[in-house]
Amino acid sequence: MPIDTTEHAHGNNSPHSSGPDPVLPPLSRRQADRFVHLALRTAADLGLAVSYQGGAALVPTDRSAGNPVLGLSNLARILAHFDEDRWPLLIEEHFRQLLEQLRQGPPKPPDDPERELIQRLVPRDALPKDWTADRPDFLPGLISVPSAEAGGVLTMYLEPADLGLTWSDAERFGLTNLRTIEDQVEYVDHDDIRIAFVSGTTFAASRALVLDTVLRESLHVEHAPYGVLAAVPARDTLLLHVIDGLTVIPALGVLLNVAARCHARDPGPLSPDVYLVTPDFTWHPATTALPDHTPLRLSPALEDLTKVLATRESTTDFRK
């Protein structure tokens, strides 16, 4: 079954939709040029000798001097939400905070890992391959990593042995503490479709790792007999639709569109894909990509579910 993702499109008329910069999306090429110019000027004002050679980062002109590499990708995504006249101040604040963190040195390990570690979803390709080779994917391209946050600085612990822990213990602590985070939930209703936007922290998407807790405590859903549709487009956002009928099909179109937009625009992109999560919390792709740019189709798992839902609804109509 092909999926229509256009009816509920958001932002298709934005100034960025016609041609984002290939390196610093979602900014346009003109905006990206201005951003790099402002970033170079700000870095120079702060005493940093850096240059821009592409690759979405300012790199030290003297590699032996110990100056930091200043990544620009997430900052570009942040700036896209503000008027350009605010950019100089935002860039300066960002660089000053970053330099202050660097001057303070690396964060010290948590004193109490059992209480401080929090599990986090991280793109596999954002980390060196040899650091993650033995870690399984939670979702394609995303791994679950123990982390700790202190003073606004997030540190990931890919070698829990450094904390005197096994990986399984660190992961268990991290998941336990992830369950204690409080979500902000906003609902969007349209044509009998309800989408829950879970946000409020930089661990919002990571709460997918403890989805049973999210459903029970944040959405007040004790049991979802047909499962849910879920997406983790960016670190600050978890999208959910509790399936209760064939409205799952238009809901999938909405989620695909919103997830793709968040993944393209928001800081900390994770995945643009939408998943079917069964009542036993097994994650399956919700769509199947076909070659030659043909429309997406329902995945076999979701196709089977729609047949069950169609049978249920036809039986209900007959009884009426």
Side-chain angles (χ1 to χ4, degrees):
M1 179 183 296
I3 304 157
D4 178 11
T5 64
T6 59
E7 179 181 355
H8 302 284
H10 299 289
N12 288 342
N13 296 320
S14 74
H16 311 308
S17 60
S18 60
D21 185 83
V23 179
L24 293 169
L27 303 182
S28 68
R29 292 174 185 267
R30 178 196 64 77
Q31 289 176 318
D33 288 344
R34 181 166 187 258
F35 170 36
V36 170
H37 172 76
L38 290 171
L40 286 168
R41 189 176 71 188
T42 301
D45 290 343
L46 294 174
L48 296 174
V50 294
S51 64
Y52 184 70
Q53 301 174 12
L58 302 185
V59 298
T61 54
D62 180 1
R63 296 299 180 93
S64 65
N67 284 335
V69 174
L70 302 177
L72 300 178
S73 295
N74 278 336
L75 183 53
R77 291 167 177 262
I78 293 170
L79 294 179
H81 294 276
F82 295 91
D83 293 334
E84 289 187 42
D85 59 0
R86 294 188 60 185
W87 287 11
L89 180 58
L90 292 169
I91 293 170
E92 181 180 356
E93 289 178 348
H94 177 83
F95 283 0
R96 285 189 182 278
Q97 290 173 1
L98 179 61
L99 291 175
E100 181 60 28
Q101 292 168 0
L102 291 171
R103 291 189 186 103
Q104 292 174 0
K108 68 181 183 66
D111 294 325
D112 187 352
E114 185 171 0
R115 294 180 179 274
E116 296 178 54
L117 289 180
I118 305 177
Q119 210 67 10
R120 188 175 185 86
L121 284 178
V122 181
R124 181 181 291 277
D125 61 9
L127 299 167
K129 291 183 179 180
D130 57 343
W131 291 10
T132 61
D134 61 341
R135 305 314 313 157
D137 282 350
F138 171 70
L139 295 174
L142 300 179
I143 61 174
S144 168
V145 177
S147 69
E149 192 171 25
V153 179
L154 182 85
T155 305
M156 291 180 286
Y157 293 95
L158 294 162
E159 292 289 347
D162 295 341
L163 303 176
L165 300 174
T166 64
W167 186 279
S168 61
D169 280 342
E171 188 172 46
R172 177 166 54 85
F173 296 158
L175 290 173
T176 297
N177 294 324
L178 183 63
R179 291 184 186 277
T180 67
I181 290 177
E182 294 186 6
D183 300 315
Q184 291 181 9
V185 181
E186 295 183 14
Y187 293 97
V188 173
D189 295 303
H190 183 83
D191 293 340
D192 296 325
I193 300 168
R194 168 163 279 200
I195 305 296
F197 287 72
V198 178
S199 60
T201 74
T202 61
F203 287 91
S206 299
R207 292 270 286 171
L209 295 164
V210 291
L211 187 57
D212 58 330
T213 296
V214 176
L215 291 178
R216 184 178 61 255
E217 297 183 1
S218 298
L219 271 62
H220 308 294
V221 174
E222 289 295 333
H223 179 54
Y226 301 106
V228 301
L229 294 179
V232 288
R235 66 190 182 197
D236 299 350
T237 304
L238 171 63
L239 305 173
L240 298 171
H241 168 72
V242 179
I243 301 169
D244 62 359
L246 287 175
T247 53
V248 64
I249 298 173
L252 175 60
V254 175
L255 280 177
L256 284 168
N257 197 296
V258 176
R261 184 167 181 261
C262 290
H263 183 261
R265 295 181 58 89
D266 292 350
L270 294 177
S271 171
D273 298 322
V274 178
Y275 292 87
L276 168 65
V277 187
T278 62
D280 64 354
F281 297 100
T282 301
W283 292 64
H284 301 275
T287 60
T288 299
L290 297 178
D292 302 324
H293 305 289
T294 53
L296 291 173
R297 299 185 67 87
L298 300 184
S299 67
L302 188 51
E303 187 88 53
D304 289 344
L305 176 60
T306 59
K307 293 175 182 177
V308 171
L309 294 170
T311 300
R312 186 201 70 167
E313 293 193 7
S314 64
T315 302
T316 301
D317 291 342
F318 175 77
R319 288 175 179 173
K320 290 180 181 180

